[in-house]
Amino acid sequence: MKTGPDFAAIAALIGDPARANMLTALMSGKALTAGELATEAGVSAQTASSHLHKLQNAGLLRLQQQGRHRYFSLSGDEVAQTLERLMGLAAGLGHLRTRTGPRDQALRTARVCYNHLAGDMGVRMFATMRRRGCFDFGDSGMVLTDAGREFVAALGITQDRMPRSKAPMCRECLDWSARKSHLAGRLGRAMLTRFETLGWARRVPETRIVQFSSRGLAKFDAMFG
Amino acid sequence: MKTGPDFAAIAALIGDPARANMLTALMSGKALTAGELATEAGVSAQTASSHLHKLQNAGLLRLQQQGRHRYFSLSGDEVAQTLERLMGLAAGLGHLRTRTGPRDQALRTARVCYNHLAGDMGVRMFATMRRRGCFDFGDSGMVLTDAGREFVAALGITQDRMPRSKAPMCRECLDWSARKSHLAGRLGRAMLTRFETLGWARRVPETRIVQFSSRGLAKFDAMFG
DNA sequence: CGTATGTTTCGATAAAGATCGAAATATGAA
DNA sequence: TTCATATTTCGATCTTTATCGAAACATACG
């Protein structure tokens, strides 16, 4: 019997191309059906089923059954951030044979990381908010200050309109393209959603790219320098 | 031919038990010979050689040849942090069948992450320094402020005594046990080294555990509350 | 009820790769 | 030089597992 550290099993799961494709698709934060994930991974439904079972068994995926559809999604922030890190590492190591195409560029500028904004714009947003004193970094983690509450209120985000949950409000997430932090957690999710609602940005289907309109970009720049 | 995202290949490399054992051993930050790594992984020298070749080829390991010995080490912070993240994820997901033994507890308290202090004590250290205004979080990443320079000088760490390098002085590293940041980068390394030099702490051989003496712990507590 | 669709289980196949024995290579020591 | 140690290369074996076809199962819809 092979014995190795626990994380080896997790890495092995992520390491299969078909499964990696599924996980990539789920990085958008959406829940996808088994069939959709099979297509996404380029394998048959049976094969996909087997993979999904393994991923779910390991705790990487969450399952919501709705009628004859089974919706899979990443089981949480932790998983998304680990994947993001792996992507960043791969991008960094591959500098020898990496060709940065236009699509890659768009990903670096603004993309969805699980459910919040990542990329240069995400990093800028977080840096500005941090500079304005929106966060307090105590022993118990990062919390939103009064100044922070005021800041996001200007965007139309108020505490009481956000879903209650035990998940942390604010969290840092390291950005692979910039190597700096951006905002994750429930607030990060709320802000990206707000940008979409306001029409500042939209998600490009089938990708993780977030496309800002020219008006939205202007608004964003005004707010986040 | 199988095609998947780049990070799948990296994850697959990490996912093999033998290789994962080698990488775990290298998380101490030390460089180890091929033979030592073979023992560590529990495989023959030939097998180890093959694994090491792959890891090095992918850019995960750095090789320093010294006579008939070949010393391997992690190629950088990025790699160490990704592994740390994976370990954290595995620890989090395994809550169903995880038994936290005493050794695990020691790891949570203080351990080596590549070359800097991690665990509760690492998190505390970073939080205190952050609270004292040791760092400035600008667009160009985290930098040491004058207050920060003063702070570490009290420990006997001065800029000019630190090795010059293009690697960043300060960097955040997310801690798996605490889910909060601790200090990485050259400064992080210098501080752990300093603790060892001062006799406050020592590394427990064969493990990643950092053991503080009672005197060292008192000093540490006085400094980092 | 029967039919269509989405998903899983079973079984067999095939490919990938981890493993080690034996031999080759390289370096250091006597 | 000769011997010993460290490591790699080659070749063969063997286990693991991704894959898909066929069939079973589940759910929705008429």
Side-chain angles (χ1 to χ4, degrees):
Chain A
M1 185 182 109
K2 293 206 187 172
T3 51
D6 305 3
F7 75 90
I10 305 288
L13 282 173
I14 301 172
D16 176 79
R19 286 191 292 258
N21 281 325
M22 293 178 178
L23 292 169
T24 304
L26 290 170
M27 278 295 284
S28 70
K30 287 204 304 185
L32 299 174
T33 67
E36 289 171 324
L37 287 166
T39 307
E40 204 68 52
V43 295
S44 71
Q46 308 95 298
T47 304
S49 175
S50 157
H51 286 311
L52 290 168
H53 184 73
K54 285 172 191 168
L55 289 171
Q56 194 205 343
N57 225 40
L60 291 168
L61 296 188
R62 200 166 51 108
L63 169 64
Q64 289 160 293
Q65 192 140 5
Q66 260 175 42
R68 60 182 160 181
H69 291 280
R70 311 193 78 183
Y71 285 93
F72 291 91
S73 53
L74 299 186
S75 65
D77 249 10
E78 303 280 300
V79 179
Q81 290 192 29
T82 305
L83 291 173
E84 183 81 4
R85 255 239 168 275
L86 272 168
M87 290 177 191
L89 181 61
L93 295 177
H95 49 68
L96 297 172
R97 46 180 173 72
T98 303
R99 43 184 175 192
T100 27
R103 184 157 153 283
D104 205 34
Q105 190 51 52
L107 278 175
R108 277 171 198 279
T109 303
R111 68 177 178 281
V112 175
C113 173
Y114 194 33
N115 253 318
H116 53 266
L117 182 64
D120 289 340
M121 293 185 70
V123 171
R124 269 170 56 203
M125 181 177 97
F126 184 57
T128 299
M129 291 178 72
R130 169 138 67 177
R131 208 159 39 229
R132 299 258 182 106
C134 291
F135 308 115
D136 192 48
F137 301 90
D139 282 343
S140 55
M142 189 166 74
V143 296
L144 199 61
T145 61
D146 289 336
R149 259 182 286 280
E150 210 171 295
F151 187 92
V152 299
L155 265 172
I157 299 173
T158 54
Q159 206 91 350
D160 50 297
R161 280 170 60 186
M162 287 183 55
R164 288 195 174 283
S165 152
K166 65 218 162 304
M169 174 68 84
C170 306
R171 180 179 286 186
E172 288 179 69
C173 178
L174 261 167
D175 205 287
W176 63 258
S177 49
R179 290 194 186 184
K180 297 169 209 158
S181 296
H182 59 245
L183 181 65
R186 278 186 298 150
L187 181 60
R189 172 190 296 230
M191 290 187 74
L192 176 56
T193 305
R194 190 66 186 148
F195 293 153
E196 294 178 87
T197 309
L198 290 169
W200 293 10
R202 67 183 191 86
R203 303 192 188 186
V204 180
E206 316 293 325
T207 74
R208 294 176 61 199
I209 296 173
V210 174
Q211 180 78 56
F212 274 75
S213 67
S214 53
R215 194 181 63 87
L217 194 59
K219 294 274 195 185
F220 185 94
D221 283 341
M223 194 144 193
F224 302 105
Chain B
M1 185 181 111
K2 295 205 184 169
T3 52
D6 308 6
F7 74 92
I10 304 289
L13 281 173
I14 301 172
D16 176 81
R19 285 191 293 257
N21 280 324
M22 293 178 178
L23 292 169
T24 303
L26 291 170
M27 278 296 283
S28 69
K30 285 204 306 184
L32 299 173
T33 67
E36 288 171 324
L37 287 166
T39 307
E40 204 68 52
V43 295
S44 70
Q46 308 94 298
T47 303
S49 175
S50 157
H51 286 312
L52 290 169
H53 184 73
K54 285 170 190 168
L55 289 171
Q56 193 204 343
N57 224 40
L60 292 168
L61 297 188
R62 202 165 50 108
L63 169 63
Q64 289 161 293
Q65 192 140 6
Q66 260 175 41
R68 59 182 161 182
H69 291 281
R70 310 192 79 182
Y71 284 93
F72 291 91
S73 53
L74 299 186
S75 64
D77 250 9
E78 303 280 301
V79 179
Q81 290 192 26
T82 305
L83 291 172
E84 182 82 5
R85 256 241 168 271
L86 273 169
M87 290 176 190
L89 182 61
L93 295 177
H95 49 67
L96 297 172
R97 45 181 174 70
T98 302
R99 44 187 174 190
T100 25
R103 183 158 155 282
D104 205 33
Q105 190 52 53
L107 278 175
R108 278 170 198 278
T109 303
R111 69 177 177 283
V112 175
C113 172
Y114 195 32
N115 255 318
H116 53 265
L117 182 65
D120 289 340
M121 293 185 70
V123 171
R124 269 171 55 204
M125 180 177 99
F126 183 58
T128 299
M129 291 179 72
R130 170 138 65 176
R131 208 160 37 231
R132 299 260 182 102
C134 290
F135 308 115
D136 191 49
F137 301 90
D139 282 344
S140 54
M142 190 165 74
V143 296
L144 200 61
T145 62
D146 288 336
R149 258 182 289 278
E150 211 170 295
F151 188 91
V152 298
L155 265 170
I157 298 174
T158 53
Q159 205 91 350
D160 51 300
R161 278 169 62 184
M162 288 184 54
R164 287 193 176 283
S165 152
K166 66 218 163 299
M169 174 68 84
C170 306
R171 181 179 287 185
E172 288 180 69
C173 179
L174 259 166
D175 206 285
W176 64 258
S177 50
R179 291 193 186 184
K180 297 170 209 158
S181 295
H182 59 245
L183 181 65
R186 278 185 298 148
L187 181 61
R189 171 191 295 229
M191 290 188 73
L192 176 56
T193 305
R194 190 67 187 148
F195 293 153
E196 295 179 86
T197 309
L198 291 169
W200 292 10
R202 67 183 190 86
R203 303 192 189 186
V204 180
E206 315 294 324
T207 75
R208 295 176 60 199
I209 297 173
V210 174
Q211 179 78 56
F212 274 75
S213 67
S214 54
R215 193 182 63 88
L217 195 57
K219 292 275 194 183
F220 184 94
D221 282 341
M223 193 146 194
F224 302 105

